[in-house]
Amino acid sequence: MADKSYNAFEMAQSQFDRVAKLLELDEATKELLRYNLREYHVSIPVRMDDGKVKVFRGFRVQHNDARGPAKGGIRFHPMETIDTVRALAMWMTWKCAVVDIPLGGGKGGVICDPHNLSMREQELICRGWIRQLAKDMGPIRDVPAPDVMTTGQHMLWMLDEFETIHGQRLPGFITGKPVGMGGSLGRTEATGYGVIFTVREALKELNLPPGDTTASVQGFGNVAQYAIELYQQIWGKVVCVSCWDQKDQISYSFAKKDGIDLNALRGITDHFGGIEKDKAKKLGYEVLPGDAWIEQPVEILMPCALENQITPETVKKVHAAVKFVVEGANGPTTTEADAVLKDRGIYLIPDFLANAGGVTCSYFEQVQSNMNYYWDKDEVLGKLDSKMTSAFLAVSELARERKLYMRDAAYVIAINRVAQASKDRGWV
Ligand code: GLU
């Protein structure tokens, strides 16, 4: 996000342009889909705990809603930019389309660092963001959800503000709510588990038993932790994780050759996914530089943190043993680095397919909230597995048939669906 040479929106547009050409999309459709339909820039004044007012900048971008209401998370990050939010909104459109749920794409963000904000200040940011946007969002218009550094508690404050403004209970307005307050069982696990549902299917295709594989994971937040949990349940071994150290303001990697102990690491991790370095050392972890996760001699790399992580520089460090990369994060691989992975014949499960479990479960949550009847966890996870598996199989079949790179195959399916919906509506 901070890197000036990298622009996520340009990257998202160039990925789109390549596939638009392949699909021979007409000019109007291209013009429509390579930009966002609507975007909002808001200012949020907050009286801080010290009595002074601080103004935060926030965004909401709605990329496309031809297939259904815009859908996507809201992030809190000190380096947030409008171009990152634009890219993420566009990726949400493709994500919802590739798993074939009746939703469009949107994304939001506020430039702030929750590490340095009290709960009261965070609550006021949530409420302020909603007050500015309440007329432009809603359960059948644009539906937010958690993302980087936002949680169920933030969603509940936003819902409460939205409902207060509208004078009604509208639990379908937002997803990722706490269970018992309109949330769905399985939503917390959904993104990470979804990543592994696709890994499981890919391993079958590659004839690799999961128990014979090792993985290295970037990130130790919600997506990474649940991806590791399910990967270990299918007998995979994680030998390295990396995360941001708030105190030192750099990342570290934590390696353990005989496999990390997920629960022990969780016990020494803050709620932003930061692992306590000294305690990890005491537990026998080797503490390495932030990029070490990418150099590990493993079969699988799982970038599950932020965008712009596998870059022309870091991709050089990818070990010869690596057979595939599964993108749990949104946009972790730059266009140049992607070309290197492709040349090296590394199998890829692209972000908007691999991490679609979160929004798929959000869709299930919305359905449950709207009918005010909630499924048990097995039912939710079973439905999630079948959605993710069929989306993965459709993409891999197309990739095989048309000899496409997996990212391009996923794009072909998603863009075709959105282009068709826009055409059917008479927009283009
Ligand atoms: N923030 C998640 C994503 O990037 C989930 C979005 C949602 O549930 O709407 O996919």
Side-chain angles (χ1 to χ4, degrees):
M1 260 178 279
D3 180 355
K4 288 225 162 43
S5 63
Y6 162 83
N7 182 309
F9 189 45
E10 283 170 13
M11 177 172 132
Q13 286 186 317
S14 83
Q15 290 171 345
F16 169 77
D17 291 342
R18 201 180 57 236
V19 178
K21 215 168 171 181
L22 205 76
L23 288 173
E24 295 175 2
L25 287 187
D26 59 82
E27 275 313 305
T29 306
K30 266 194 294 201
E31 273 303 292
L32 183 75
L33 299 184
R34 82 189 296 278
Y35 293 97
N36 294 290
L37 279 181
R38 290 174 288 276
E39 66 181 47
Y40 305 90
H41 296 233
V42 300
S43 294
I44 309 164
V46 169
R47 187 161 307 275
M48 306 296 279
D49 292 350
D50 65 5
K52 294 197 186 109
V53 172
K54 191 167 170 192
V55 180
F56 293 88
R57 310 285 166 209
F59 314 106
R60 184 70 184 174
V61 176
Q62 294 160 357
H63 171 257
N64 188 284
D65 53 11
R67 288 173 43 86
K71 183 82 190 82
I74 157 154
R75 324 199 308 169
F76 284 176
H77 201 281
M79 308 302 246
E80 195 59 278
T81 69
I82 182 63
D83 274 338
T84 310
V85 181
R86 286 175 177 143
L88 290 161
M90 187 191 271
W91 287 327
M92 283 309 302
T93 304
W94 313 139
K95 196 181 294 193
C96 294
V98 83
V99 285
D100 204 13
I101 54 178
L103 296 167
K107 203 79 174 197
V110 177
I111 306 174
C112 69
D113 188 352
H115 291 98
N116 309 323
L117 295 166
S118 69
M119 290 308 272
R120 179 193 153 275
E121 290 164 342
Q122 292 182 46
E123 176 177 350
L124 292 179
I125 293 176
C126 290
R127 291 185 185 277
W129 188 77
I130 289 293
R131 275 203 300 279
Q132 299 293 14
L133 290 160
K135 296 201 171 47
D136 304 298
M137 303 182 77
I140 48 174
R141 217 162 163 180
D142 180 4
V143 182
D147 202 280
V148 173
M149 286 202 268
T150 55
T151 64
Q153 176 63 75
H154 297 107
M155 299 306 112
L156 199 52
W157 287 325
M158 290 183 186
L159 176 66
D160 187 66
E161 192 66 29
F162 186 83
E163 291 182 334
T164 304
I165 291 168
H166 290 277
Q168 295 168 25
R169 288 283 169 254
L170 296 159
F173 164 60
I174 207 159
T175 61
K177 302 180 290 294
V179 171
M181 288 301 292
S184 173
L185 290 165
R187 177 64 185 84
T188 313
E189 295 88 343
T191 312
Y193 277 20
V195 169
I196 302 305
F197 292 145
T198 67
V199 167
R200 182 195 61 204
E201 295 307 310
L203 288 174
K204 277 187 209 158
E205 295 200 348
L206 296 171
N207 258 323
L208 265 175
D212 291 354
T213 64
T214 52
S216 179
V217 181
Q218 188 193 31
F220 200 62
N222 172 271
V223 181
Q225 287 189 28
Y226 286 102
I228 294 170
E229 185 173 287
L230 191 59
Y231 177 64
Q232 289 184 334
Q233 279 171 24
I234 61 169
W235 306 108
K237 188 160 89 180
V238 175
V239 295
C240 185
V241 297
S242 89
C243 66
W244 179 251
D245 188 295
Q246 179 63 14
K247 245 196 340 253
D248 297 355
Q249 290 287 299
I250 50 167
S251 302
Y252 293 109
S253 298
F254 299 85
K256 204 169 203 185
K257 283 205 173 59
D258 52 354
I260 66 151
D261 178 339
L262 179 61
N263 283 334
L265 274 188
R266 274 175 166 156
I268 56 166
T269 300
D270 66 25
H271 59 278
F272 300 108
I275 298 171
E276 286 187 58
K277 182 165 91 254
D278 296 330
K279 290 190 180 159
K281 267 188 201 151
K282 281 199 192 112
L283 289 175
Y285 288 84
E286 211 183 329
V287 180
L288 302 166
D291 274 355
W293 75 277
I294 211 172
E295 302 170 359
Q296 300 301 309
V298 291
E299 284 75 31
I300 310 175
L301 288 180
M302 302 189 193
C304 295
L306 288 172
E307 61 280 353
N308 192 26
Q309 300 301 312
I310 307 187
T311 63
E313 290 74 48
T314 59
V315 78
K316 291 183 199 139
K317 302 181 185 172
V318 172
H319 197 277
V322 171
K323 295 205 170 59
F324 83 85
V325 173
V326 55
E327 297 179 325
N330 292 310
T333 312
T334 68
T335 311
E336 300 83 351
D338 200 32
V340 176
L341 296 180
K342 194 171 164 182
D343 280 352
R344 283 180 55 176
I346 292 175
Y347 188 94
L348 175 98
I349 312 183
D351 50 2
F352 65 95
L353 171 64
N355 70 30
V359 74
T360 303
C361 196
S362 275
Y363 165 59
F364 297 153
E365 178 177 333
Q366 224 199 358
V367 170
Q368 294 171 83
S369 286
N370 288 341
M371 61 182 180
N372 210 5
Y373 174 77
Y374 290 85
W375 306 326
D376 66 29
K377 192 166 172 178
D378 284 349
E379 184 165 0
V380 176
L381 292 178
K383 283 182 161 66
L384 181 68
D385 192 349
S386 71
K387 265 275 176 218
M388 293 299 293
T389 300
S390 47
F392 173 85
L393 293 177
V395 171
S396 82
E397 195 180 306
L398 184 72
R400 233 187 348 264
E401 263 172 23
R402 299 210 5 214
K403 298 201 176 13
L404 291 172
Y405 187 46
M406 282 287 280
R407 192 186 306 283
D408 293 345
Y411 263 120
V412 164
I413 292 178
I415 293 175
N416 253 333
R417 286 183 178 149
V418 181
Q420 191 60 47
S422 304
K423 216 171 270 325
D424 290 348
R425 282 180 181 276
W427 290 356
V428 282

